[in-house]
């Protein structure tokens, strides 16, 4: 298990890794912890994170890994979506992470779709160029070569819809189809 925890009293973000098989709990924080903060955090973790709270807490191996600077970004994201005091009266039941999570998911899905589709059309363009070259080497008629040219124009147009690096069809056309 790997989880993030935020302690508002100390404004501390920690990442916890717990292994029930090894009975070990490891955690890191976004900044150096004071002794009293560390004691409070460890007490909380042993009481609430350990799946089967041991009567003898000494049986759980607890390790503080120190500072993990990646957690600073997590803390900044958390702070950026924390509801302001004015808005708490308006919508107390809303999840402050919902918009952030939805935006991240939507952006990731859009990026994935665009990357997949541009790769797909890139491969189709390459296969069409190879087929056109084979046809021209076998002395294909002009109408067949025109079909390949039209196909390439459509594929390049489709490719350009899914990529940030636009391509001109004249850059793609092989010499056999330019004539």
């Amino acid at each position: 298990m790997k989880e993030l925890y935020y302690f508002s009293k100390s404004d501390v973000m920690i990442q916890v890794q717990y292994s029930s098989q090894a009975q070990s709990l490891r955690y890191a924080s976004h900044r150096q912890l004071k002794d009293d903060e560390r004691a409070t955090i460890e007490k909380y973790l042993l009481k609430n994170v350990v799946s089967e709270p041991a009567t003898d807490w000494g049986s759980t191996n607890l390790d503080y890994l120190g500072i993990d600077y990646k957690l600073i970004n997590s803390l900044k994201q958390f702070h950026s979506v924390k509801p302001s005091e004015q808005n708490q009266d308006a919508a107390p039941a809303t999840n402050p992470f919902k918009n952030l999570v939805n935006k991240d998911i939507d952006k990731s899905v859009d990026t994935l779709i665009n990357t997949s589709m541009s790769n797909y059309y890139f491969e189709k363009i390459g296969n069409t160029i190879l087929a056109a070259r084979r046809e021209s080497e076998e002395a294909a008629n002009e109408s067949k070569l025109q079909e390949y040219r039209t196909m390439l124009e459509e594929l390049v147009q489709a490719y350009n819809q899914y990529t940030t690096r636009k391509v001109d069809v004249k850059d793609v056309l092989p010499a056999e189809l330019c004539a």
Side-chain angles (χ1 to χ4, degrees):
M1 173 196 91
K2 195 178 211 182
E3 299 268 339
L4 287 177
Y5 288 92
Y6 175 70
F7 294 88
S8 60
K9 183 178 178 184
S10 304
D11 192 34
V12 174
M13 178 73 68
I14 65 168
Q15 182 174 32
V16 178
Q17 296 173 322
Y18 176 65
S19 171
S20 59
Q21 292 89 5
Q23 282 293 309
S24 69
L25 194 138
R26 300 168 48 172
Y27 69 100
S29 60
H30 83 281
R31 64 170 172 78
Q32 191 63 41
L33 298 176
K34 298 175 189 166
D35 290 336
D36 60 328
E37 292 172 333
R38 188 171 167 181
T40 304
I41 289 171
E42 288 179 358
K43 185 176 179 182
Y44 174 84
L45 293 175
L46 286 170
K47 185 175 181 185
N48 297 302
V49 175
V50 177
S51 60
E52 296 175 12
T55 54
D56 177 21
W57 284 355
S59 66
T60 299
N61 188 14
L62 187 66
D63 293 321
Y64 175 56
L65 302 174
I67 300 171
D68 183 357
Y69 292 103
K70 294 174 191 170
L71 294 174
I72 293 173
N73 289 333
S74 299
L75 182 66
K76 286 181 181 179
Q77 280 185 330
F78 178 76
H79 281 237
S80 70
V81 295
K82 221 166 54 171
S84 67
E85 306 219 358
Q86 301 164 352
N87 293 341
Q88 282 182 344
D89 296 333
T94 60
N95 181 356
F97 288 105
K98 187 173 183 178
N99 291 339
L100 178 70
V101 171
N102 286 342
K103 287 178 188 175
D104 287 346
I105 291 172
D106 292 345
K107 185 178 178 180
S108 295
V109 168
D110 286 343
T111 302
L112 179 64
I113 290 171
N114 288 337
T115 303
S116 297
M117 293 303 289
S118 66
N119 288 343
Y120 171 78
Y121 284 116
F122 184 82
E123 288 181 24
K124 292 292 268 182
I125 289 168
N127 291 339
T128 305
I129 290 172
L130 291 174
R133 285 194 174 146
R134 267 186 256 122
E135 287 287 331
S136 69
E137 287 172 359
E138 296 172 4
N141 60 15
E142 188 61 36
S143 65
K144 187 69 172 171
L145 292 178
Q146 186 58 37
E147 259 183 61
Y148 280 113
R149 180 184 170 97
T150 305
M151 213 182 322
L152 277 172
E153 289 171 352
E154 291 172 0
L155 288 170
V156 167
Q157 184 179 4
Y159 173 80
N160 284 337
Q161 288 179 350
Y162 295 103
T163 187
T164 56
R165 186 175 158 234
K166 307 299 182 201
V167 176
D168 189 6
V169 74
K170 293 175 186 169
D171 296 334
V172 174
L173 287 177
E176 298 87 13
L177 298 180
C178 288

